[in-house]
Amino acid sequence: MIGYEGQWRRVKTAKTDRGPTGGLAIVVTWEEGGAARFPSGDELLLGEQDADCPGLFG
């Protein structure tokens, strides 16, 4: 699970790729569809798949 856009989202796949300027990026495909690209230096909020995280994203 990754905290993204104000909610917990389930990750289907994750892979590395090159960004438009040649830097590394992480490409995440969501279980509900769609994908997101994160520059390798971005910090991500990770959580356990079935964990209850009160206070985070409601």
Side-chain angles (χ1 to χ4, degrees), residues 10-44:
R10 296 186 194 289
V11 175
K12 182 176 181 181
T13 63
K15 65 179 185 174
T16 57
D17 198 3
R18 291 281 177 191
T21 60
L24 288 176
I26 306 299
V27 179
V28 175
T29 303
W30 307 116
E31 282 189 358
E32 66 269 13
R37 177 183 293 266
F38 301 96
S40 61
D42 279 7
E43 292 184 20
L44 300 175

Side-chain angles (χ1 to χ4, degrees), residues 3-4 14 18 25 53 58:
Y4 181 68
R18 291 281 177 191
C53 299

